[in-house]
Amino acid sequence: MPASPCPHTKGEVNCGRGTCCFPGRMNRLYSSLEPNVMDDNMLKLAVQEQGPQEEAGQLAKQEGILFKDILSLQLDFQNILRIDNLWQFENLRKLQLDNNIIERIEGLENLRHLVWLDLSFNNIEAIEGLDALVNLEDLSLFNNRISKIDSLDALAKLQVLSLGNNQISNAMNIIYLRRFKDLRALSLSGNPIAEAEDYKMSVCAYLPDLVYLDSRRIDDHMAKLAELKHQYSLDELKHRENQMQAQLEHEQDLRKELEEHRAAFVEQMNGSFLFDSMYAEDVEGSKLACLPSVAELLPLTYKDKFVIICLNIFEYGLKQQEKRKVELDTFNACVHEAVRENQEQGKHRIAAFEEKHLASLSAIQDEADITSTEMKIVESGEAITELYNVLMTLEMQLAEQLEETINMFERNIVDLVGLFIENVQSLYPFLDCTMAQCRDLETHHHEKLLEICINTLEKILKGELDADLPEDVRALFVDKDTIVNAVGTSHDIHLLKIDNREDELLTRVNSWCTQLVGKIHKDEISRNRRRVREINQYIDHMQNELDNLEYMDVID
């Protein structure tokens, strides 16, 4: 029988890794050896030993070791106990750490470009520390001590997963792997799960996109048989997955909606959230709500009206947010267009200058007469100075234009925020979306509640109360001071909740406005400085080029 192709090399017989092609290979014995530390010396030596035929070796020999330029790193058989000091290898694509004594997956946070990772033949007990490896395609954890497949969610591009010779026994681990839509090769041989009679059929059924299982290609016939055999279980599983996906999408929509409401500073104002929060900590108010007259008053008038006001504030907040967004988008478009036009003018001037400048340099080199050469050099220097003045003038004009645009935007956005605050605060009593209306409604309810409670107290004292009150409620009606204090405490709690929500809204919208305007001014200062620096660097380069030519002429 011919040898089965190895998934790591997309069809070659032997991948050269020795982790999946030779499952009988065992760990080396390290009990008598001292663990090694992954320090700079080990890393430099590893890079150098990859040889001049490797890109890493060439870089190391020709230019010195720059870890950020290394694409491949081989650290197998180094007796490494802990992964460390890899933060400089920010562009690493391939990392080989097999045949060590590593116990935990860690220290890989900066390796965001890693595509291939080999941690086979170690002492790893749990899959962890891989969240940053969003580009990983090939992962080998062959011959470790892993009992559960999890914590791989960030590896959306995973194509090859080698987990043979571990301690995985639960079939639910296969279900977990269904989320990896690009997974094409899987190794689980040597695990307790692989000893089950239905092992291959189960894997083929639950992972229908798999191409290789335990280094052998899955033929179409087996895949169809597996699907038929597990059809009922698959249908149930797909149904559950669809439900979970729908729930997940619903939760994502809710989070997105909440973020939009937060951006408008009116989150949780589109319902009874504020009203419910007033009673959540109001013990006395909750007790008094069971009084017959109060129970009728609360839902039919007070709560409904309160919620309507909150909804009006919510709708008004969304409309004002849209106005602020339009203002900001218009501003950004104006800035972008102004910068683009200025850059086009600068490029046109530079292109015209460079055409003449190259001709001048060529003429200087061809000129035999010293006097003529000196005159041409002076003319070229004047042309460079003229270009510098033109570019700096363009930048100064742009800076003035953007300053005026920013100041106008600042006035407009401050006015919009101010209008929003004034309306929500209630400086215009004819509006139906003010926090003052919430306070007025609460005060009116407080007066009604106090009147009902005084009447109830009088009936209790006269023995005329027909309704049976709970003991904790009746305890409030011992005398007038007690009931008045109880109603007053309830009222204070409600007003405090309203005031706190108003303060939160005002603080956040003012902070947003201040930070936005501050960032815009700061960004413009940075842009201006960056542009001035670019102009100076370009002019210096042109002048140095001319100076060098003049120096060469003097030598000649």
Side-chain angles (χ1 to χ4, degrees):
M1 181 181 293
S4 300
C6 172
H8 300 115
T9 52
K10 314 301 182 189
E12 295 180 17
V13 173
N14 183 3
C15 67
R17 292 164 59 157
T19 57
C20 64
C21 298
F22 301 98
R25 188 175 177 182
M26 299 299 293
N27 293 64
R28 295 167 62 192
L29 296 177
Y30 294 97
S31 56
S32 60
L33 300 176
E34 191 71 24
N36 281 331
V37 178
M38 286 181 63
D39 56 14
D40 278 357
N41 290 333
M42 175 188 286
L43 296 173
K44 288 177 182 178
L45 183 62
V47 170
Q48 290 171 347
E49 287 181 347
Q50 290 186 50
Q53 72 278 7
E54 297 286 342
E55 181 177 357
Q58 292 174 0
L59 286 169
K61 290 189 175 183
Q62 296 173 9
E63 303 176 6
I65 297 175
L66 295 174
F67 287 165
K68 69 180 183 64
D69 295 326
I70 303 303
L71 302 180
S72 178
L73 185 62
Q74 185 174 341
L75 292 166
D76 55 338
F77 295 100
Q78 298 288 330
N79 208 40
I80 296 169
L81 178 63
R82 181 184 177 189
I83 304 171
D84 202 2
N85 288 318
L86 292 174
W87 60 271
Q88 298 178 74
F89 293 83
E90 55 191 60
N91 292 307
L92 196 67
R93 294 177 60 83
K94 181 178 179 180
L95 177 59
Q96 193 164 339
L97 284 165
D98 60 280
N99 289 280
N100 285 291
I101 51 173
I102 297 167
E103 297 180 348
R104 288 190 62 188
I105 306 174
E106 57 186 338
L108 305 175
E109 295 80 8
N110 278 29
L111 310 185
R112 296 186 177 276
H113 298 287
L114 202 65
V115 175
W116 194 94
L117 175 61
D118 190 350
L119 285 164
S120 57
F121 293 93
N122 280 288
N123 298 322
I124 298 167
E125 296 185 357
I127 301 175
E128 58 185 337
L130 299 172
D131 290 345
L133 309 186
V134 293
N135 291 299
L136 197 67
E137 297 177 3
D138 190 320
L139 173 63
S140 179
L141 291 164
F142 190 91
N143 211 97
N144 278 279
R145 301 172 181 177
I146 297 166
S147 59
K148 183 179 180 181
I149 306 176
D150 63 356
S151 302
L152 295 171
D153 298 55
L155 280 54
K157 298 181 181 180
L158 191 63
Q159 297 179 21
V160 178
L161 178 61
S162 177
L163 282 165
N165 281 18
N166 277 282
Q167 300 169 10
I168 301 165
S169 58
N170 194 327
M172 290 303 295
N173 288 284
I174 298 173
I175 306 298
Y176 172 79
L177 294 175
R178 284 174 61 84
R179 68 193 66 198
F180 301 101
K181 304 304 180 185
D182 294 336
L183 187 63
R184 296 296 178 267
L186 174 66
S187 171
L188 290 173
S189 60
N191 284 280
I193 193 175
E195 298 173 4
E197 183 179 350
D198 196 37
Y199 159 66
K200 289 187 178 180
M201 283 287 187
S202 296
V203 174
C204 292
Y206 290 114
L207 302 176
D209 295 323
L210 209 60
V211 179
Y212 292 95
L213 176 60
D214 299 330
S215 300
R216 292 187 177 275
R217 189 176 183 87
I218 301 170
D219 61 70
D220 294 339
H221 179 65
M222 175 178 283
K224 289 178 181 178
L225 284 178
E227 183 180 2
L228 289 173
K229 184 174 181 179
H230 293 270
Q231 186 66 52
Y232 179 75
S233 299
L234 278 172
D235 289 343
E236 277 195 340
L237 179 59
K238 289 176 182 177
H239 178 67
R240 288 198 304 271
E241 287 176 342
N242 290 336
Q243 286 182 322
M244 291 174 62
Q245 182 62 29
Q247 178 65 25
L248 179 63
E249 291 175 358
H250 176 65
E251 291 174 358
Q252 289 174 343
D253 290 341
L254 289 178
R255 283 195 295 270
K256 181 181 177 182
E257 185 180 70
L258 180 59
E259 286 304 310
E260 292 173 354
H261 297 169
R262 284 186 60 82
F265 312 104
V266 290
E267 71 279 5
Q268 295 188 334
M269 292 295 287
N270 56 330
S272 61
F273 301 103
L274 180 56
F275 183 88
D276 295 339
S277 72
M278 295 192 311
Y279 279 89
E281 300 172 12
D282 180 13
V283 179
E284 282 78 7
S286 299
K287 292 177 182 179
L288 296 173
C290 71
L291 293 174
S293 300
V294 176
E296 295 173 5
L297 177 68
L298 196 62
L300 297 178
T301 55
Y302 180 39
K303 182 175 182 178
D304 289 345
K305 290 179 180 179
F306 194 97
V307 170
I308 288 172
I309 294 171
C310 290
L311 287 171
N312 289 338
I313 294 174
F314 174 77
E315 294 295 338
Y316 177 70
L318 292 183
K319 290 177 182 178
Q320 289 301 113
Q321 166 63 8
E322 184 61 30
K323 290 182 180 180
R324 293 192 294 271
K325 184 178 181 299
V326 169
E327 185 68 32
L328 182 57
D329 290 345
T330 302
F331 165 76
N332 287 331
C334 289
V335 170
H336 177 77
E337 182 61 22
V339 172
R340 188 193 65 78
E341 288 181 0
N342 189 274
Q343 287 176 341
E344 288 298 322
Q345 292 182 45
K347 288 178 182 177
H348 178 73
R349 294 300 184 97
I350 290 173
F353 162 79
E354 288 185 345
E355 184 178 354
K356 293 180 180 179
H357 184 65
L358 288 174
S360 297
L361 293 181
S362 178
I364 291 170
Q365 288 175 329
D366 295 340
E367 184 62 57
D369 183 65
I370 296 177
T371 304
S372 298
T373 300
E374 290 176 349
M375 289 179 60
K376 285 182 171 128
I377 289 174
V378 170
E379 289 173 359
S380 294
E382 291 174 350
I384 293 173
T385 302
E386 182 183 356
L387 176 65
Y388 172 78
N389 292 332
V390 168
L391 294 178
M392 290 300 291
T393 299
L394 283 174
E395 174 55 28
M396 185 173 62
Q397 291 172 348
L398 177 61
E400 291 175 353
Q401 180 183 355
L402 291 183
E403 183 181 7
E404 183 179 346
T405 303
I406 291 171
N407 289 338
M408 183 180 297
F409 169 76
E410 183 175 357
R411 288 192 297 270
N412 292 344
I413 203 71
V414 168
D415 288 346
L416 281 173
V417 168
L419 179 63
F420 176 57
I421 289 173
E422 288 174 357
N423 288 345
V424 170
Q425 272 189 310
S426 77
L427 298 186
Y428 300 102
F430 56 85
L431 294 175
D432 56 356
C433 58
T434 68
M435 298 300 287
Q437 286 181 314
C438 291
R439 277 188 286 268
D440 291 343
L441 193 59
E442 163 57 29
T443 299
H444 178 71
H445 174 72
H446 164 69
E447 293 170 354
K448 286 284 186 182
L449 178 61
L450 184 59
E451 181 182 340
I452 291 171
C453 288
I454 296 297
N455 292 336
T456 302
L457 177 62
E458 292 175 355
K459 289 181 181 179
I460 290 175
L461 294 176
K462 294 178 181 178
E464 298 175 356
L465 186 66
D466 297 331
D468 228 358
L469 298 179
E471 287 300 320
D472 57 342
V473 176
R474 186 174 287 274
L476 297 175
F477 290 90
V478 292
D479 54 45
K480 186 174 181 179
D481 287 343
T482 302
I483 193 60
V484 168
N485 287 337
V487 175
T489 300
S490 174
H491 181 51
D492 291 341
I493 290 173
H494 294 181
L495 288 179
L496 183 61
K497 285 288 184 180
I498 296 171
D499 291 344
N500 287 345
R501 184 62 182 92
E502 182 182 41
D503 290 343
E504 180 192 1
L505 186 152
L506 301 184
T507 301
R508 283 177 49 214
V509 71
N510 279 321
S511 176
W512 171 82
C513 184
T514 301
Q515 290 178 11
L516 174 64
V517 172
K519 183 179 183 301
I520 289 172
H521 281 289
K522 183 179 179 181
D523 289 347
E524 168 52 21
I525 291 172
S526 298
R527 185 210 63 78
N528 174 254
R529 289 176 177 173
R530 187 167 59 251
R531 180 56 178 163
V532 170
R533 186 167 59 250
E534 289 172 354
I535 293 172
N536 283 320
Q537 288 174 345
Y538 178 76
I539 294 299
D540 288 345
H541 174 72
M542 292 293 104
Q543 189 62 54
N544 288 336
E545 193 175 52
L546 182 63
D547 293 343
N548 290 335
L549 185 62
E550 182 178 6
Y551 176 73
M552 292 301 297
D553 288 341
V554 171
I555 293 177
D556 292 341

